[in-house]
Amino acid sequence: MLGASRRSLCAAAAARSRAAAGAASAVSADAAASVPPRPVSNGAPAALQQQKRLLSVLAAPKVGGTSNMASLKLMDGALVGRRYESSAAAVDSTDMPPAEKHEYQAEVNRLMDLIVHSLYSNKEVFLRELVSNASDALDKLRYLSVTDPELLKDGPELDIRIQTDKDNGIVTITDSGIGMTKQELVDSLGTIASSGTAKLLCRQRAQNPITEYVWEEEADSSSYTIREENDPEKLIPRGTRLTLYLKRDDKGFAHPERIQKLVQNYSQFVSFPIYTWQEKGFTKEVEVDEDPAETKKEGDAETPKETKKKTKTVVEKYWDWELTNETQPIWLRNPKEIPTEEYNEFFKKTFNEYLDPLASSHFTTEGEVEFRSILFVPSTNKEDITDRKTKNIKLYVKRVFISDDFDGELFPRYLSFVKGVVDSNDLPLNVSREILQESRIVRIMRKRLVRKAFDMILGISCSENRDDYERFWENYGKSLKLGVMEDKENHKRIAPLLRFFSSQSNDELISLDEYVENMKPEQKDIYFVAADSLTSAKNAPFLESLTEKEYEVLLLVDPMDEVAIQNLGSYKEKKFVDISKEDLDLGDRNEEREKEIKQEFSQTCDWIKKRLGEKVARVDISNRLRLMRAQSLGDTSSLDFMRSRRVFEINPEHEIIKSLNVACRNNPDDPEALKALDVLFETALISSGFTPDNPAELSGKIYDMMSSAIAGKWTSQGQVQPVSPTQEHAAPAPGGSNEPLEAEVVEPEPVESGQQK
């Protein structure tokens, strides 16, 4: 992105992570030999009386020291130069001293190329990194000033100021923090620097003359120069000034509005005020020159009148500093002092929402890993449950925005609807997705965030207003069911939040806790049945025996319900039992009686199996008349494959089965008996939720049986009613058959536009 030398960019970052007092330093860079070098000076607060040298205090140690250089290396490709200035005492000498030439370490180039391509792929984060470095410099100065107030004698203000020149593509970043000595310029900008924190603890303060240095380099050069700065106009009271000269294609970053937006996006909550140079305006009234002709015409009037001077409203433009960031983020404040309305406003502003959240949770975790967070449950669901990537969690490190582009690193997919901010002091600023995936800190953060999210959802479920959780379940119920399937570790947290219809809930959803509370004393298990609709579930033949015992049955009508229940297995030591299973035991079985009935009807079962053939796997004796479909898991798409595994259960106490039992023993080949058996199977197929193989054939058999049953039943003394002329000339049945149709259901013809109904 930045077109200045990659090394010069690294240098600025390193300058931030180093500090010195009693000496001044400067850094500059140039893009090419044809462009004259731009001086970049970097200095430190002048302690004239003590003349002591201080080292920087890093907010967090950097591994291997590489981060000092990487933060500016990421700008490579968009700068044509950089000017890095800092405060220093005035110098009497007017002659510019000769510059010292230094060579780069060979490893610097290779390491920086690796870092910029693996850690930084987004151009706009360059400003975030430089502002973070400026914040570090201010932090170091503030820390050192606690024991040495003289360091703030040039001014107590600690701030960051960013000025732009959009026409020339220049961005200037100035802070009132701390800088580097000459030796630190060499050590930090030309080599792979090490942590300044460790050096602060082990090195003594040294005396150094008050001098400001300029660091210069041409683009793509293998060397750089350092010289003293003697121009009084380039000296600043205290701090560091970094000037970036952008390439033509990247001059858009020099627009004041763009800079302001980047600061608000990435550095909104940096602990020091950030000012940006903005164009402003105010309205004022100005006099308008009068038309001489009009003045002469008015003067010809007989009665002279005093004319009022004409004015117009104009906008006067000017430039001034504007505070761009908020130095106190809401998550760092005491939750007891924040009203609900303020949380709601923060939520709507941060995540572009228009409704208040259903719930929020503001918390701080301490111990092995420390971070602060505010989580929200939105009132409506805008996310796709199958989309793993969301922008619902904003990660900050030391109040600097890092990313909101996550793929399950902080929250599992089924909780991706949760929105919020997370601010950690334990993660590095240059955190990447690879670091997030492998970081032990992130794994601990994820566990705690998930627990807090469940606590927040549980709070909604315990609300006195039952409508709150109904609204939550309508939006996010499928997400929690997905959680049962994907997150076995959190089954105990998810299960109390699930909701289902039941045979006794009057079309209202109930929790598993409510089901357990309503269980009969002798009831050992939690019963459920799967169906494709609530009406089908309520009319399922499997409910008969349980309804007689007043046992409540969960009605699973969503395709995910049954899979979620099977993944849970049990709840509060109560097993989930599918009442459509063939081995259902309600505790009232009479084994001797069952054995007698099986013996009595074994021949009938074999007869039925022979007739149905491959349509069923077997025929069993039961207290219900049904066709088992437990193997389909409520999914009728697998019925073709599972057809041969159907189990046909017959109830020996039913009159139809008793009649068929007699027919089997006396005349097993009777066509009427076989037709009745076919109809029995097809109707059981329908009542069990299956579709008959040939609905038309089934309806024909039913019509035949109905005709036999009602023939002549309502005619007067067996006389047949006369046929109307219309019936005599009725059209033949579809397909060319002259046999009349018993009945037919047809779709209404569409009404043409403009026709009357």
Side-chain angles (χ1 to χ4, degrees), residues 537-556:
K538 288 181 177 180
N539 295 317
F542 318 125
L543 287 174
E544 297 170 5
S545 55
L546 288 97
T547 302
E548 292 175 0
K549 291 179 172 292
E550 297 185 350
Y551 286 174
E552 189 170 18
V553 178
L554 297 178
L555 308 179
L556 311 185

Side-chain angles (χ1 to χ4, degrees), residues 97-258:
E100 298 178 8
K101 186 175 180 180
H102 300 267
E103 297 291 330
Y104 284 113
Q105 279 188 342
E107 296 87 350
V108 171
N109 236 1
R110 294 193 296 269
L111 179 61
M112 290 302 98
D113 283 337
L114 176 63
I115 292 176
V116 75
H117 289 102
S118 61
L119 294 181
Y120 302 107
S121 57
N122 184 6
K123 286 185 177 183
E124 64 184 24
V125 301
F126 82 92
L127 188 65
R128 179 194 77 184
E129 297 296 302
L130 295 178
V131 169
S132 298
N133 289 335
S135 177
D136 285 345
L138 292 166
D139 263 329
K140 297 161 194 172
L141 178 61
R142 182 167 57 183
Y143 175 86
L144 296 171
S145 66
V146 173
T147 55
D148 189 0
E150 278 291 312
L151 295 176
L152 297 178
K153 73 180 185 63
D154 291 322
E157 296 82 7
L158 300 177
D159 58 24
I160 302 169
R161 296 177 182 266
I162 306 174
Q163 191 170 9
T164 60
D165 180 350
K166 64 181 180 180
D167 295 329
N168 296 310
I170 299 174
V171 178
T172 303
I173 304 171
T174 306
D175 69 70
S176 54
I178 207 164
M180 292 184 290
T181 64
K182 175 183 176 181
Q183 186 59 43
E184 285 173 334
L185 285 172
V186 176
D187 294 341
S188 299
L189 304 186
T191 63
I192 301 175
S194 59
S195 169
T197 301
K199 292 188 177 181
L200 175 72
L201 300 177
C202 66
R203 293 179 61 178
Q204 300 295 325
R205 298 177 180 181
Q207 294 183 351
N208 236 350
I210 308 303
T211 308
E212 182 172 333
Y213 291 94
V214 178
W215 186 93
E216 296 178 322
E217 183 232 25
E218 293 184 358
D220 299 324
S221 173
S222 61
S223 63
Y224 60 91
T225 61
I226 297 178
R227 63 176 174 81
E228 294 183 15
E229 178 60 82
N230 292 334
D231 187 350
E233 294 182 358
K234 294 181 180 179
L235 301 179
I236 54 179
R238 185 187 71 227
T240 302
R241 178 182 296 149
L242 174 63
T243 304
L244 309 177
Y245 300 84
L246 304 179
K247 283 185 174 179
R248 178 181 300 175
D249 293 341
D250 292 299
K251 283 187 177 181
F253 285 102
H255 281 257
E257 298 83 2
R258 182 77 178 274

Side-chain angles (χ1 to χ4, degrees), residues 21 39 61 84 94 97 178 192 211 248 254 278 359 371 405 422 470 472 531 563 593 596 665 672 680 742 747:
Y84 197 26
T94 57
I178 207 164
I192 301 175
T211 308
R248 178 181 300 175
Q278 299 293 331
F371 65 91
D405 185 16
V422 180
E470 289 181 359
F472 170 85
V563 181
R593 175 59 181 159
E596 292 176 1
R665 293 179 181 276
E672 294 298 323
L680 176 68
E742 295 84 353
E747 293 287 342

Side-chain angles (χ1 to χ4, degrees), residues 162-451:
I162 306 174
Q163 191 170 9
T164 60
D165 180 350
K166 64 181 180 180
D167 295 329
N168 296 310
I170 299 174
V171 178
T172 303
I173 304 171
T174 306
D175 69 70
S176 54
I178 207 164
M180 292 184 290
T181 64
K182 175 183 176 181
Q183 186 59 43
E184 285 173 334
L185 285 172
V186 176
D187 294 341
S188 299
L189 304 186
T191 63
I192 301 175
S194 59
S195 169
T197 301
K199 292 188 177 181
L200 175 72
L201 300 177
C202 66
R203 293 179 61 178
Q204 300 295 325
R205 298 177 180 181
Q207 294 183 351
N208 236 350
I210 308 303
T211 308
E212 182 172 333
Y213 291 94
V214 178
W215 186 93
E216 296 178 322
E217 183 232 25
E218 293 184 358
D220 299 324
S221 173
S222 61
S223 63
Y224 60 91
T225 61
I226 297 178
R227 63 176 174 81
E228 294 183 15
E229 178 60 82
N230 292 334
D231 187 350
E233 294 182 358
K234 294 181 180 179
L235 301 179
I236 54 179
R238 185 187 71 227
T240 302
R241 178 182 296 149
L242 174 63
T243 304
L244 309 177
Y245 300 84
L246 304 179
K247 283 185 174 179
R248 178 181 300 175
D249 293 341
D250 292 299
K251 283 187 177 181
F253 285 102
H255 281 257
E257 298 83 2
R258 182 77 178 274
I259 289 294
Q260 187 178 53
K261 184 177 179 181
L262 291 178
V263 170
Q264 291 173 342
N265 188 35
Y266 290 100
S267 307
Q268 175 79 346
F269 304 110
V270 167
S271 55
F272 298 96
I274 303 174
Y275 296 91
T276 56
W277 190 245
Q278 299 293 331
E279 186 179 29
K280 300 184 179 182
F282 64 91
T283 59
K284 67 176 183 178
E285 297 290 327
V286 297
E287 294 183 4
V288 180
D289 293 336
E290 296 183 0
D291 188 349
E294 290 291 331
T295 305
K296 183 177 181 180
K297 184 177 180 181
E298 292 178 359
D300 293 340
E302 295 181 357
T303 306
K305 295 181 180 179
E306 184 178 349
T307 59
K308 187 177 181 180
K309 293 183 178 180
K310 294 183 179 180
T311 62
K312 67 176 181 179
T313 302
V314 297
V315 177
E316 188 78 14
K317 298 291 184 68
Y318 68 99
W319 289 83
D320 197 4
W321 293 109
E322 181 177 307
L323 182 63
T324 305
N325 68 322
E326 299 176 16
T327 57
Q328 181 66 10
I330 187 173
W331 59 82
L332 294 183
R333 293 163 55 190
N334 187 344
K336 297 179 180 179
E337 300 174 356
I338 305 175
T340 302
E341 293 75 18
E342 192 168 348
Y343 282 122
N344 294 346
E345 286 304 314
F346 174 77
F347 167 74
K348 289 187 282 189
K349 178 181 177 181
T350 305
F351 299 102
N352 296 319
E353 295 281 349
Y354 60 93
L355 295 176
D356 292 340
L358 283 175
S360 63
S361 177
H362 184 180
F363 59 93
T364 301
T365 64
E366 298 178 346
E368 189 176 7
V369 174
E370 297 184 4
F371 65 91
R372 294 173 179 265
S373 178
I374 303 180
L375 301 179
F376 299 93
V377 175
S379 295
T380 57
N381 186 15
K382 300 179 181 178
E383 309 298 334
D384 184 353
I385 193 174
T386 61
D387 188 6
R388 297 186 66 90
K389 287 190 175 183
T390 66
K391 291 185 177 292
N392 291 343
I393 298 297
K394 297 184 180 295
L395 175 64
Y396 290 79
V397 174
K398 302 181 182 73
R399 309 203 292 188
V400 175
F401 176 68
I402 300 301
S403 178
D404 59 1
D405 185 16
F406 296 107
D407 188 9
E409 290 86 2
L410 293 177
F411 270 100
R413 175 173 61 156
Y414 68 92
L415 287 178
S416 61
F417 61 86
V418 176
K419 298 187 177 184
V421 296
V422 180
D423 190 357
S424 169
N425 288 335
D426 297 323
L427 289 172
L429 279 174
N430 57 356
V431 62
S432 64
R433 170 153 291 142
E434 290 74 18
I435 293 176
L436 286 175
Q437 292 172 343
E438 299 176 4
S439 171
R440 175 175 167 273
I441 295 174
V442 172
R443 288 196 295 270
I444 296 174
M445 290 173 60
R446 174 185 163 117
K447 282 187 177 181
R448 296 182 181 177
L449 287 170
V450 169
R451 290 175 186 174

Side-chain angles (χ1 to χ4, degrees), residues 600-617:
E600 181 181 353
F601 284 85
S602 61
Q603 184 179 348
T604 302
C605 290
D606 294 339
W607 175 62
I608 295 174
K609 175 64 175 76
K610 181 180 179 182
R611 174 66 177 176
L612 299 179
E614 296 299 322
K615 293 181 180 179
V616 295

